Amino acid sequence: MLQIRCPWCGPRDEPEFRYGGEAHLRFPGNEADPAAWARFLYYRDNPAGAYRERWVHTAGCRQWFHVIRDTTSHRILGSYRLDEPPERAR
Amino acid sequence: MPEHAFHNPDFLWRNPDPKPSYDVIVVGGGLHGLATGYYLAKNHGIANVAVVERAWLGSGNAVRNTTIIRSNYLRDESAALYEHSLKLWETLAEALDYDLLFDQRGVLQLHHSQADVRSGTRLVHALRLNGIDAEWLDTESVKEFCPLINTSQDIRYPVVGAFLQRRGGIARHDAVVFALARAANRLGVDLIQDCQVTGFEKAGDRVTGIVTSKGRIGAGRIGLVGAGRTPLLAAMAGFPVPIQSSPLQALVSEIVDQVLNCVVMSSGVHVYLSQAHKGELVMGAGRDGYTSYAQRGSFHIIEQQVADALQLFPLFGRIHLLRTWAGIVDVAPDASPIIGPTPVENLFLNCGWGTGGFKATPGSGWVFADTLANGRPHPLVVPFGLDRFERGDLLDEHGAAAVAH
Amino acid sequence: MRRLRPGTATDPAKPLSFRWNGTAFDALAGDTLASGLLANGVRVVGSSVSFGRPRGVMSAGLEEAHAFAQIGEGGASEPLMRATTVDLHHGLVARGLSTKGTLVQGDDPARFEKRHGHCDVLVVGGGPAGLAAAWAASAGGARVILVETTARWGGALGRDLELIDGAPALAWVDRITRDLAARPEVTALRRTTAAVSLDQNGVVLVERLPETTPPDRIRPIRRLWQVRARAVVVATGALERGVVFQDNDRPGVMLASAVRSYWHLHGIAPATVVLFTTNDDGYRTAFDLVEAGVLVRVLDARESIGPVGEQARARGIEVLSNAVVAGTRADQAGLLAAARFQAGRRQGEWPCEVLAVAGGYQPLLDLPAQRPDQSHRIVGAAAGQWSLAECLLDGLDAGVAAAEAVGFGSPGPTRPVVGPDWDRSPGTTLWQVPAPDGDETRSFVDLHRDVTVAGLDRALGAGVRSVEHLKRYTLAGTGIEQGKSAKAAAGAIASDRLGSEKPLGVSTGRPPTEPIAFALLAGRARGDLFEPVRTTPAHPAHVAAGAVFENVGQWKRPRYFPRPGETMAEAVAREARAVRTGVAIMDASTLGKIEVQGADAAEFLDRLYLNRLSSLKVGRARYAAMCRLDGTVFDDGVVMRLAPDRFFVTTSTGHAASVFEWMEEWRQTEWPDLEVWTTSTTEQWATYAVAGPQARTVVQSVAPTCDLSREGFPFLGVRPATIAGIAGLLARVSFSGELAFEVMVQSRHGLAVWNALLEAGTPLGMARYGLEALSLLRAEKGYLIVGQDTDADTSPIDAGLGWMISDKDFLGRRSLEMATHRRSDRKQLVGFLPSDPAIVLPEGAQFVADPTQPKPMTMIGHVTTSHPSPTLGRSFGLALVRGGRDRIGHIVHAPLEDRTVAVEIVDPVFYDKAGARRDG
Amino acid sequence: MARLRFEPVRDLGALTAVRPAGRGQGPEASGARARALGGLVAALGALPGENRVASVSGREVLWLGPDEFLIASSLENGSDLEQVLRATGAGAVIDLSSNWVGFDLAGDGARAVLASGCSIDFHPRSFGVGSIAQTSMARVPITIWQRSPEPSYRILVRPSLASYLAAWVADAAGSLEAGSLE
């Protein structure tokens, strides 16, 4: 059971959140070519190590935010708001 | 011989050093990798094969699953593949000359809502027309088939019916690892443990070998069967796969008297369980939602699945949770496997079995050995290629969506 | 063994009795089941699983691999408890087991509870290091939780007579625990085991609370804690190892520390003891028991026995050096009778009641082993500190450091003076004494699983080289004591027997460190409290009306309202007829409702929905649907525009949460430039559909001031209205094709308005209708139900919703442009009519084109909705069929179990194709 | 024996959600947001900080997130307030008076009952008078804030889940009263 720091509400237990997968994806728009569209729909980074990912605090303030988490240890290196750069993670 | 230590054979395998090169290298010494090695030698006479494993044979999901075997998949493509596998299971112990404790005690899938019933009956109809055994049981028949289940209509989510596949069942996972490894070894396949792949050697777009912690090994063709670690291997080989790796937990109780006569699954109340031959209850539930390679999951998943199990089996209240574990499952966007060629010539992929890998073991090994031996997809796996994502021809096996208005 | 005196743990003023295998025994408060049995001379507790050999108590704690018991009776009967960790209470009923537990049917009255805990520092282990750590950590006011597995503080100090600050160590324990009790921010829990280590310093604790026989129904007997700490200090100590030798499983072979423990804590001692030790620490047992008048002889495995051995000799104890136990001899009952030894060239046999084995200590690390990030601070014997002084200092330092790390100061702790100190270090390493006759089939490595050295040999011979394969081949280390006594030995002995190869190590431990009862994991989530139940404001009225409910997610929704004696089919037909011919009312309050506000609300909805909603006029509603990104149908509902910048959106019940989250996701992450807000108002509103030709009359009577005329309030109109005196909303939407009004009032008035509507409808014979009738009525009109009439790969075009798609951008549009969505063989939603109008096909039945084809047959579609229709006077249904729209007018076949039914594919609208009836 | 009070709030009053204008996530996201917040302060007297409740002139203003406040006022003033707030042009204003029902939980045992179903730390060092959290208890979404040091908490829960939550708390309180609190 992870404990995640919501940038707005503070540290909360994992069941309060929903996972949103890889962060900083760009919606390619409806003009994307088939390969780019397939990439956007189905392909997500899956690194062993630090991963920038999205979570949403569904049971709390309902805000989406970013987390940097080590996928090999579940250590959380920090979380940051959508309008903050990863360097602001804490 | 202790009765519970099973009849493991006197000899399993050699522990050879790798040769400079092989006709085929199978990367991943889990169940599917071992089965691939075995069938390459047995079905195709290709014995100059190495199965390389980063840790010990079966150290991934082979020993982290709930050993349920069934072929009750909705889609024709999936049903054909899993049924092929189930048929192989039915003769596998004999073929491998090894008691796998394969036991067709029946897989009962409980339904708890009208939406559940709709998808359940649809599955029964589809399977029957596909020539696969499938029965629909009403609540009374459920009670008759498995008297231990609480079929009271007063509980929060009463059982309103069930799907039954009598040919489904369980096997002893360690025995399957041992048996496939022994059989592959006997046929001349080199099983190379403690051998981590760190890179691929290529000539242009063609793969020619692997770089490992035990040195470089050349290969004619290479099959990647890395389950949850496949994305890391594919990245080394230079192409992405649409796989997310996440924890799937299971648990086992201490050993108690035999009381449960079949495999019970419930999608409405998220749990599946069976009682192994030694007497321990083996139980699983949904996977944890996040990406992970840590082979650990979140405890609330365990708490929830046990509460779910007690709804159905009040008798289990005082049984103890003995051990929990998590495998790293590789899940594709449509929850179907990915098998076939890759953008790299002579490099083939077999992954994405997600939560369904154990039951697919012989079938997966069979079709992948054929694919590797012939350099083209086995007919059963043509729809399962990596190219389906760009086309949008997904093979959704999340189960028919089930919500009511 | 027998009790010679009360021990420090037992209270002679509190006698109790318990039953073991049907016989009553006396014991004292403070006894464990194991000490209670030993005090009564019970030497055989169970039998070995594979060989049926008798087994007794071998330890005094967690590592017990022999003495298993079934505790309690009836539904409260609990299998496979270790006698060494069960605290006795008066009336306890227990019986011996091998390694298989028994399940007993019946009501279990016991309660199990859960609790969340939070602290600055969690200290695991209440021995000297843990007490010191907790004391130092809490001195400056930090919040500390201290847990101890056993019923007593002090850990090894209870069995090892030590002096701290010149006084018996237990006095120090008293002083420290009194200090801790006086600190308000300290929670000190005994009988509490740290079982699972979670990420971010979470730890799951199992607390055992006092029990009675029979259990009472209110007071919990166990509590599962989930603690979040800012720092975790692990002071779990060390366990003594045994030594493997031939016939080392006889009742009477015990750990030396356990023998000492039973003597000091429970006053129980045997008459004769042979001590087999590899180290100085073992001699404590000899010295302490000699003082009690026990005949003790010592076999010391070391070449040189050292000063402690010499001290023993000086006290008249016979000590053999370079001596090992080569085997044991049993009496006729299989109980230990004598230890056979080999000392240099001398062989012999010493009769004894107990063979105490001191194989050296091994840190107990199964909790921190669960932590790949090594975030626990390990102290004391668990960290390999082998003297009491070091353990205390280590604990104090860790406590200070932990407190400081979380921002609390600590007064410089006074450093206790220990003396004289004992060396607990392992001495000579000896895992196994080879069987003199070479027969290793009775040299037990895992006593629980009956794994012998011969079993290990066999595995190695088979080619096994990994300790994990060794575990799986032999089962060594898989017992309920979690391999505490066996895992290390199995790895070490196997390495030894392989000779020169590298050590195999120890197989990975898996959580929990201690078995946890399922009932405790479930806690309060059983019976009526299993999962939240959601009910609508009118729920009491539905119950009173005899509704049969259906679970829809967490909601309870009426499926139908049978009259006395009516079957479901009859009730549904009656309810549906009422809608078609009279009037009926349905509770639609579970529909998801979302208010979308803001200057960019219309643009926002345009991007989400297939159809253009910016063109919707204020006071109007529109049926709308949305896709997932992959172009499949996600949800449908009605969008109402209440003001230029205000929309009221409904969703299906099942998708209420996911549609809301979907909107928020896009609003926050992709379109932060839009000024729009979404607010879930699902429970703000109670919603009732009044449908049927007489609906206007009913609604008019409760909303007399509202113009409900065809012209004044046209189809898809929305307006504020006062309904039964309550301000609300009225909408002209219809899911049945009949004239219908949707009545929305604040949910606090929901029940009153439901009753008012019913009262108004009674003169017209208004019926209540439920989900079954709704499904029938919708299907007659070809109105699909998302999730029932669509699949995970049904596009809106497949579903017949292509008309919604406007020429603007929306989510999913890109996918719909892919070639696969233009294929003509996609599964499309169509209607069907069985050739025999009396046959109602089961939902889920498959269609084939060629009914004679052998299996596997080529399936071309399946039934999604199927009903007998009282309105059509025949059976009908909806189906998803490959190339379905091209098959309209064609015959396909539904092979059922016992027959094959011919079916005509038809247009999905069966009733009132012109839509004339919705205006009444 | 732990003293514990758990009872429904008979008159929860009007609940009005306010979503201050301005785009983006943070309060500093735009000047429009700052202007909207200024308007709200003028209308309400004060706004709470993050994770706090402000009690001003008989109203409680609950912070629910970076762009959401919930205002609890007496029922008769509720619709007036809605008009006043709309008039400030501060953003979206939504009546949620029926979207929630309330319970008060108070007394010595309150924290123990909360701890048995809610993972938030209610220790006074972490959560005191004026603290608010949206979280879940017994898997039911709740909004909870502390109103007095006694301690006394007010809990908002969706009406559909209220009877389940009440039954759950009664059950937890039962074991607590029986003396399991050590």
Side-chain angles (χ1 to χ4, degrees), chain A residues 41-42, chain B residues 75 392 394 396 401, chain C residues 608 610 625-635 655 662 786 790-799 801 810-813 815-816 821 826:
Chain A
L41 275 188
Y42 300 123
Chain B
R75 285 185 172 267
L394 271 60
D396 190 86
Chain C
L608 289 167
L610 302 173
M626 57 172 73
C627 280
R628 299 181 188 85
L629 280 179
D630 64 2
T632 60
V633 177
F634 179 8
D635 196 47
H655 282 142
W662 178 247
V786 174
T790 63
D791 263 354
D793 45 20
T794 305
S795 79
I797 303 162
D798 303 333
L801 301 177
F810 59 88
L811 296 181
R813 174 164 210 132
S815 290
L816 290 177
H821 279 284
R826 292 186 62 87

Side-chain angles (χ1 to χ4, degrees), chain C residues 485-511:
Chain C
S485 64
K487 267 187 352 197
I493 293 171
S495 307
D496 216 30
R497 297 183 82 80
L498 273 176
S500 59
E501 295 189 34
K502 62 174 180 174
L504 295 182
V506 177
S507 58
T508 309
R510 285 171 168 175

